[in-house]
Amino acid sequence: MSERDDSEQSGGLTPGDPLGGDQPPPPEPPPLPDAPLGPPSMADDPPAEEPPPPAQPLPPPPPPAGYPPPQAPPPAGYPPPQAPPPTAYPPPQAPPAPTWQPPGAPPQAPAPQVGWSPPPPYTPRPPRPKGRHGQPIWDNGAELATWWSRVGALLLDGLIAFVPWIVLSVPLFVVDTTGTNIAGGIILGAGLLFAYVFYASVFMARGGERNGQTLGKQIVGIRVIRDDGDPYNFGTAFVREFLVRQLLFGIIGGLFFGLAQLLDYLWPLWDETNRALHDMIVSSHVVRADPPPTATGLPG
């Protein structure tokens, strides 16, 4: 056989060929071990997984706000807490059941409870004793003034307080000169201001037996007294006569068609102690200026 034939049998590779015609064959892989017969052993199984640890119990929730914290139990050896002793007062008892009554019998009054007594019945105050002129007697022993005497004193005070200033100023207006007209206006304005604002306060502030009297009340024989017994001074008389009687009931009350002033004038007609509305506000009474009688029969 020729070299050509050898090269064809060797796959076309000749000795000395750079493609590795002279390389040795690859080594054979090692034989696999024979598998043992029979069931697989436990040693060949993978290790079993460990069970998870048991869950820890959750802590109890905190008590709500406003509750006291839980207290620990008392240590061993201490006596258990005792209940407080009962009070000395017995518990209230239900009223006894009503006994049977035949039909048509009047109902029985409930039995009185132990330790309770019914309140005394209301007894109205006895009427005040009357004076010599038929009017009630006040606490100081003086007889209250009548409504007609108060009206008469009011009319006299109006004449005494306003008429003289009008009489003095009219002649000055009659004379047709500028100076006399101005003087008449000043005299009339100042006189009316004094009569309306200060007249009653000035005369009521006099001391002695004339305290609480205007000139009209002095003529009629009545006077104003304070319920606390103190005499009138200029301040207290000014509050009663101008701020309350003239300003409140006269001017402000006149805005309601004069109803407030009319009620103030008429209120002594049905009041128990002959008071007007302004008397109630300032706590005063109008009494007769006569000397008070003896204390016999006066209310205590």
Side-chain angles (χ1 to χ4, degrees), residues 26-204:
E28 295 181 1
L32 296 173
D34 296 336
L37 299 178
S41 62
M42 299 300 295
D44 297 336
D45 293 340
E49 297 181 358
E50 297 181 359
Q56 297 292 334
L58 298 176
Y67 284 82
Q71 299 180 359
Y78 284 84
Q82 299 179 358
T87 57
Y89 295 94
Q93 299 179 0
T99 58
W100 179 85
Q101 296 179 2
Q108 295 182 356
Q113 300 179 4
V114 178
W116 178 85
S117 59
Y122 171 75
T123 55
R125 182 179 178 180
R128 293 178 177 273
K130 303 292 184 178
R132 291 179 298 174
H133 302 275
Q135 297 301 312
I137 296 179
W138 182 236
D139 294 344
N140 65 344
E143 184 179 358
L144 296 171
T146 62
W147 182 77
W148 287 107
S149 63
R150 298 184 65 167
V151 173
L154 181 64
L155 296 177
L156 288 175
D157 283 329
L159 294 176
I160 295 171
F162 291 95
V163 172
W165 305 105
I166 298 175
V167 173
L168 290 177
S169 60
V170 167
L172 299 178
F173 287 109
V174 173
V175 179
D176 192 11
T177 60
T178 304
T180 56
N181 291 340
I182 294 176
I186 294 174
I187 293 174
L188 181 62
L192 295 180
L193 178 65
F194 172 79
Y196 190 78
V197 179
F198 301 107
Y199 163 78
S201 305
V202 169
F203 283 96
M204 286 181 61

